[in-house]
Amino acid sequence: MKRKLRMGMVGGGQGAFIGAVHRAAANLDGQIELVAGAFSSDPARSKASGKELYIAPDRCYASYQEMAKAEAALPEDQRIDFVSIVTPNHTHFDVSKTFLQAGFNVICDKPMTFDLAQAKKMRSIVKKSGKVFALTHNYTGYPMVKEARDLVSKGKLGKILKIVVEYPQGWLLSALEKEDQKQAAWRTDPKRAGASCCIGDIGTHAENLARYITGLKITEMCADFTTFVPGRLLEDDGNILVHYDNGARGILYASQISGGDENNLNIRIYGEKASLEWHQEEPNDLIVKYADKPRQTLRRGNDYLSKAAKDNTRLPAGHPEAFIEAFANIYMAAAKAIDCEVHGKKMPKVLDFPNVEDGIEGMAFIETAVRSAKGKAKWTKFVKA
Amino acid sequence: MKRKLRMGMVGGGQGAFIGAVHRAAANLDGQIELVAGAFSSDPARSKASGKELYIAPDRCYASYQEMAKAEAALPEDQRIDFVSIVTPNHTHFDVSKTFLQAGFNVICDKPMTFDLAQAKKMRSIVKKSGKVFALTHNYTGYPMVKEARDLVSKGKLGKILKIVVEYPQGWLLSALEKEDQKQAAWRTDPKRAGASCCIGDIGTHAENLARYITGLKITEMCADFTTFVPGRLLEDDGNILVHYDNGARGILYASQISGGDENNLNIRIYGEKASLEWHQEEPNDLIVKYADKPRQTLRRGNDYLSKAAKDNTRLPAGHPEAFIEAFANIYMAAAKAIDCEVHGKKMPKVLDFPNVEDGIEGMAFIETAVRSAKGKAKWTKFVKA
Amino acid sequence: MKRKLRMGMVGGGQGAFIGAVHRAAANLDGQIELVAGAFSSDPARSKASGKELYIAPDRCYASYQEMAKAEAALPEDQRIDFVSIVTPNHTHFDVSKTFLQAGFNVICDKPMTFDLAQAKKMRSIVKKSGKVFALTHNYTGYPMVKEARDLVSKGKLGKILKIVVEYPQGWLLSALEKEDQKQAAWRTDPKRAGASCCIGDIGTHAENLARYITGLKITEMCADFTTFVPGRLLEDDGNILVHYDNGARGILYASQISGGDENNLNIRIYGEKASLEWHQEEPNDLIVKYADKPRQTLRRGNDYLSKAAKDNTRLPAGHPEAFIEAFANIYMAAAKAIDCEVHGKKMPKVLDFPNVEDGIEGMAFIETAVRSAKGKAKWTKFVKA
Amino acid sequence: MKRKLRMGMVGGGQGAFIGAVHRAAANLDGQIELVAGAFSSDPARSKASGKELYIAPDRCYASYQEMAKAEAALPEDQRIDFVSIVTPNHTHFDVSKTFLQAGFNVICDKPMTFDLAQAKKMRSIVKKSGKVFALTHNYTGYPMVKEARDLVSKGKLGKILKIVVEYPQGWLLSALEKEDQKQAAWRTDPKRAGASCCIGDIGTHAENLARYITGLKITEMCADFTTFVPGRLLEDDGNILVHYDNGARGILYASQISGGDENNLNIRIYGEKASLEWHQEEPNDLIVKYADKPRQTLRRGNDYLSKAAKDNTRLPAGHPEAFIEAFANIYMAAAKAIDCEVHGKKMPKVLDFPNVEDGIEGMAFIETAVRSAKGKAKWTKFVKA
């Protein structure tokens, strides 16, 4: 890239969590500079947040609509190249739409939209805009996840038979939403989070991770949702039996009431020839298991890894990388595409970041799970068309 | 005990696996001596096996029927005090019945019987006999499993919300039963194993483990069975959604096609106040997790553990104990009861070994799972009455 | 800080390793911008490197001397606030001196100087300059290392009895220096690395880590150095017996020929009341061991941790942080001091970053070890005066 | 073996620790029966202990001398085949000598004798007796230790460069010997334990383990002993720099004041081609590390292991084995040799159990370490001649 990309941000003001993560991910490699933002729906808070981030006051906007308009009116060599959207779920669609239609590339937090219908509309909007749209399913940014995908795609596991992907957290074990905890409040509110809390917030990461590594698609599922915390309006625990399109079987579960678990995303994939497991909380290792050979631990940063793993690594082996770097890998992959779009260059052959199609898959997954879980868990076809 | 108990064995001849485990468990503490056996349905093989085990030739019997009769005819100070039954599933009932009715105590391998109907008959037979009947759900013999149970019973976890118990193995990933591997042959044969392979053989251990620790009972389940290996007659993979009687939710799964997994039984129990996890392949540790305190690792052999854990431990901390010792704990608990029965002493207050009721629960679990899985997985009430 | 700090860099051009780490650490929090550099002693390479980093061409200097002079001549609102020095060891002193005397704050990679004599001169120069001088002993930036220090300082371990700190790497097992590998070449060259390779490069991190956590000082040591790779001029393995000033005993070892080990820095500290261990390759956990209580695992990101640990954490528990974040913690602590220096504000009460005194300790450690190891390992007093 | 071997025991009465371990090890495989003993120097206690062990009263002896004499006088088909000696260190020589000269095979706990002079006399006595003498350096009985030895002997590691073997325990952190704890009392008493506590009791296991795996011999060492607990007469912590006969370097340390560590014996061996590590507290795994290939975990019970590992394994992979089984492997290897001796059969080609030569090496190691540590740690030649 011949210059740093200019980034704007919607959401992520003081007290937010994921906005700071996006900024760190954007900062890490020194290829992107944050120059504008509508950091809060409260104009004063937006200004104050922007000031802390060293944004010029005239580019701290009172609303995203104002921001899109004002930025579009700036000269080409000043205006933002893309916007990062880090607001609650229910606004993703409108904000994305506004910026795409104003001619900006978009990096949007997941889940992509409020519901599947919106997701499909998003596809048309993206297509029509010709802009880059990236979705931050950040766990696929980990180099050892890319290694896992490479192993599967090269047939090292043989035919996949079974996938067990689990994502237990414990932070919603108590009714934090009643204590005015912002993160808990919107995630448990159907008006802002959508039809699902636990599966929508983290189950969708599990789905995306399994699909990213294996390429398999869910054909049907049987989802058992429970709301353990009294008064909560959405499920805080979901256990799902899954059938995949190649005949593989699976278990996918997510939980927010698994006390003492932090962000315990784990995946195990069993194939006819080999199996693998990866643990998000120890992300530098990928374990490969064989029926008749010693178990292997592949470690990030080594020469024996695939190009995909190595291209997404910054530090030598033994110097651990973690969550921010994985997130930054999504940003850098999107940035390369955005750079091409902005400067009219040819897109890279491989676009290794989650896109609008992943967003549709994710929304279809959530809606299918919600339908399956309604009343009593029952087998439900995965429909996205 | 004032003398060693005298044990007989049915099954467990040359080439068998579990018979050797039972003998090692019986040997370990020097309280039991093996003095008789019908080690094979092939009389010559039975003799040869007995010889290797230093059994007097006249007590190596050609059949279990002959053995029961002959032993019963021996003077009281010579005949066996109990029999260990380590034959394939379909024979457990007849052998147990024969020995119970001949006046012998019984230690029987799991699953208890071929089906639930037999299991219920077994209850009557045991009751009528007045003899001790122990079932070797050996994983409940581990001291740290007893510690887990103690923590739950003392309310340290609060109300249990969720149980995830998994038991993946990989040894049946290929069609071993066609290569004349004895263990594989009978386990995959509906005539000898019963209505289930994977869930019957190991899923039932998972069920027993969860129930032993928590005391919770399954009310209904939705079981997804798959037979991955072509030509196999029973399932080699089973994934089950579970509802418990206190409102807890669970996932229970077992697999024999999870390549590279060995005997990977794991349990995680989540409560309102704390959670715990235990891993059979690293059995000396019990992990206790809290929302607001450091994670704890309780290690076998330490003074801070419960009486139950300490009473079932032989070595100081750091000198690891494992599978055989856990199995021996079942044997020793049963032996104490048998010793009382034999010498007309008062039974101990706590009988901490699996019994005929556990066998009925196990068979009901298997049958419910099989019913649930038939056709397409569907919610099925747990029925044992 | 009311504006981003402006950073310059000396060294760290194309092909270098540690320069990129410093830049990522500086970038991460969006508080620092890189605006100038003398990235290589080769002027063309310096320019090319600067271009890749989006530095204005007129601030890509041909030498550090030119840079210091030119930057000092810039108006106050343009010139750099500090310089990061990431050149080989033998130049640290001259470059630091030049910038300190030109009125700039300095962040310097370790070891601080070529030898102890230089280190002591550096102290005078720093003192005289009134500028901030930070040394990147980055491992002390890890939050769980800060937690360890906090536990020790609060007396939770009681009197420290024993310290085992080890730092095995395997990357110099073959004679990489003969294959023109830049990192290997200068580290094994006494003219650039100084009197020690392994102990100087990584043993000094081990020393710093132990001292940071415990506050104990070495009184004497017995160091056994070996050069395993033929033709190598400096030691590639060093094993040291250590005596500390409170009577504690220790083992400190470092190795670069421990094949298959990556960056395996580990420390165990044993006290009268409790013990702890920390592993750099799994940095989010701190293990605390008691004689009579369950082992604890303290995990980064939790509320129960000390202020020092929490202040140096960016992400919630379970979202792992790693090497770059720890490095960035050193940068942010130094940046806060630099910001005060630049804007004439009062220095923060706690300056939690390694400084010139740590540099002197480090150089004295290296020289003592080299003296001890000369000929045959012998007990040698730690002298730094 | 055509009949069970008959074992006698000296020591191991009520309240002892290691005697029970020897009995369990002997019991496990059903090849050995305990038939006689002098379990305590207190005749009444010996009787009482024997009764608990179901020994015939006339074979519970009041002293080992009486036992040797009485057993030798029994008919060949009744008398013991060998004696296990599990008394404190200072009596090993006299008891062993008595039984060897009375014509019995001996299995003796380590360290072999009170000092090196006795050890050398033991060699002559053993040689003259023509009997089997086995020493229970039990850690070499672990199958994965045998695998490690096999890998080294096949050259898989290349030339060995470095050995780090450590054995920290914490149980003597307080002055247990003043609280009348029997185990602590004799181990810290120079009259019963010999010239060393920590190095003699557990350091010698570390030495034996390293030598067993690598075959390397120590040429010189520099040993730093400390007595941390006031009033204790022998060292409770020892840190040793080691030089091996092939030029390899090493660190060997043992500690009994490392609070919270249980029985934390670990070994890491670094070679030119590969490295390995093994941890006694997780004994079923052996980790092999390569510079340029994924790390491997070899797991007990798998077909890919060496004959030595497989021959010393009882259970399938994933069914963990532990301390008792390793101990039993020493017993079984010795038992095979004893069986040959008793029945005049040809000795097996491979005698894989520690013998009198290992005992001499161990005593020479202890004495060299004590000499080296005297006053101030200094380099001291390993002398055993």
Side-chain angles (χ1 to χ4, degrees), chain A residues 26-43:
Chain A
N27 285 337
L28 185 68
D29 296 298
Q31 309 280 333
I32 295 168
E33 55 187 336
L34 178 65
V35 297
F39 299 103
S40 171
S41 48
D42 168 351

Side-chain angles (χ1 to χ4, degrees), chain C residues 159-162 164 166 168 170 173 220 222-226 228 237-243 247-255 257-262 264 266 268 270-275 277 281 289-291 295 376-379 381, chain D residues 159-162 164 166 168 170 173 220 222-226 228 237-243 247-255 257-262 264 266 268 270-275 277 281 289-291 295 376-379 381:
Chain C
K159 189 190 163 194
I160 303 301
L161 304 179
K162 186 166 185 180
V164 180
E166 61 193 24
L173 179 54
E220 57 180 351
C222 181
D224 192 22
F225 280 19
T226 308
F228 280 102
D237 187 81
N239 304 322
I240 313 183
L241 301 174
V242 180
H243 290 177
R249 292 327 195 205
I251 294 168
L252 184 158
Y253 84 81
S255 178
I257 54 80
S258 294
D261 274 352
E262 295 171 353
N264 201 10
N266 301 301
R268 285 177 279 181
Y270 298 96
E272 281 187 340
K273 294 200 241 163
S275 304
E277 59 181 85
E281 294 187 355
K289 296 182 282 192
Y290 299 92
R295 199 165 280 195
K376 187 145 206 167
K378 64 200 147 301
W379 287 99
K381 294 278 166 210
Chain D
K159 189 191 162 193
I160 302 302
L161 303 180
K162 186 165 183 180
V164 180
E166 60 193 26
L173 179 55
E220 57 180 350
C222 180
D224 192 22
F225 279 19
T226 308
F228 280 102
D237 187 80
N239 304 321
I240 314 183
L241 300 174
V242 180
H243 290 178
R249 292 329 194 203
I251 294 168
L252 185 158
Y253 84 79
S255 178
I257 54 80
S258 295
D261 275 351
E262 295 169 351
N264 200 9
N266 301 300
R268 286 176 281 180
Y270 297 97
E272 281 188 340
K273 295 200 238 162
S275 304
E277 59 181 85
E281 294 186 355
K289 295 184 282 193
Y290 299 92
R295 199 165 280 196
K376 187 147 205 164
K378 66 202 147 297
W379 287 100
K381 295 279 167 208

Side-chain angles (χ1 to χ4, degrees), chain B residues 16-32:
Chain B
F17 156 58
I18 203 68
V21 170
H22 280 250
R23 288 191 297 265
N27 285 336
L28 185 68
D29 296 297
Q31 309 281 333
I32 294 168

